[in-house]
Amino acid sequence: DTGVSQNPRHKITKRGQNVTFRCDPISEHNRLYWYRQTLGQGPEFLTYFQNEAQLEKSRLLSDRFSAERPKGSFSTLEIQRTEQGDSAMYLCASSSSGGAVKYFGPGTRLTVL
Amino acid sequence: RKEVEQDPGPFNVPEGATVAFNCTYSNSASQSFFWYRQDCRKEPKLLMSVYSSGNEDGRFTAQLNRASQYISLLIRDSKLSDSATYLCVVNNDYKLSFGAGTTVTVRA
């Protein structure tokens, strides 16, 4: 399978704990995106990488959120001191440079108790 | 105001029916347009791109009206497998903006 992969697929955590998600994009894609989706809403943009450079962060990404893409391949999204409002599906997508079409991974569903 | 507004539905139609719905977008500089399909608790998947000239993909027809900033999707001869949420998506450079989705349920 050469699509976008994400791990873990599900994460249940207690409020205040830190969590980290991983995304592996399609191998030839140099752009990587993180989105968040809550029930009944469309995905919302969080941040975007071109290779290892993080080029934009949404205002939705508070100081508790950090994303990295250290070697321009896989990316991690960390949430510190989780809150119940962080419960959502976290989606990763990738595309080629200039490619308008983004391909999404299966997502990580986070539940904060 | 949300960047992309969609009729949430739900549209509940019998097999074989035609169903159509639309969305509007606020950024006149938007560059490209798509419909994505999302099944329950799954990731969005590209259904089709949308062009000003209108385009078809099998039973699906999409239309873009740049002057009115309006995008439509029509599904002919609905199948049970068409039941899903359809997301209207607008691309600005690298960023996708999604509508909240239109839910379609096709019944036997």
Side-chain angles (χ1 to χ4, degrees), chain A residues 13-110:
Chain A
T13 192
K14 292 183 179 179
R15 189 174 51 189
Q17 298 295 304
N18 299 345
V19 294
T20 300
F21 311 141
R22 175 178 170 127
C23 170
D24 287 88
I26 293 170
S27 58
E28 60 267 29
H29 286 177
N30 58 358
R31 291 187 174 184
L32 186 148
Y33 314 81
W34 285 99
Y35 285 79
R36 180 173 71 186
Q37 186 174 23
T38 53
L39 198 61
Q41 300 299 316
E44 296 173 293
F45 172 80
L46 291 179
T47 190
Y48 147 65
F49 290 85
Q50 171 128 347
N51 299 313
E52 65 275 10
Q54 187 174 19
L55 298 186
E56 184 173 339
K57 292 169 59 174
S58 162
R59 287 172 296 174
L60 293 175
L61 219 61
S62 76
D63 290 345
R64 297 183 298 105
F65 288 72
S66 63
E68 294 182 344
R69 195 183 182 198
K71 298 181 180 178
S73 57
F74 73 91
S75 175
T76 57
L77 178 68
E78 181 183 15
I79 309 174
Q80 296 182 326
R81 304 180 304 282
T82 52
E83 301 174 356
Q84 288 184 325
D86 297 332
S87 295
M89 172 81 93
Y90 290 83
L91 293 159
C92 177
S94 70
S95 72
S96 56
S97 288
V101 177
K102 280 69 169 173
Y103 298 89
F104 284 84
T108 295
R109 185 169 297 278
L110 173 67

Side-chain angles (χ1 to χ4, degrees), chain B residues 50-104:
Chain B
V50 188
Y51 305 110
S52 298
S53 53
N55 51 299
E56 285 189 11
D57 184 357
R59 297 179 294 104
F60 297 83
T61 301
Q63 188 76 46
L64 166 65
N65 184 322
R66 281 190 182 268
S68 301
Q69 296 177 207
Y70 173 99
I71 304 165
S72 65
L73 181 68
L74 182 145
I75 307 172
R76 287 186 303 278
D77 187 24
S78 300
K79 311 292 185 192
L80 294 176
S81 57
D82 295 333
S83 298
T85 296
Y86 292 85
L87 298 165
C88 179
V89 186
V90 172
N91 184 68
N92 294 298
D93 194 14
Y94 53 82
K95 190 190 305 184
L96 295 182
S97 296
F98 287 80
T102 298
T103 299
V104 173

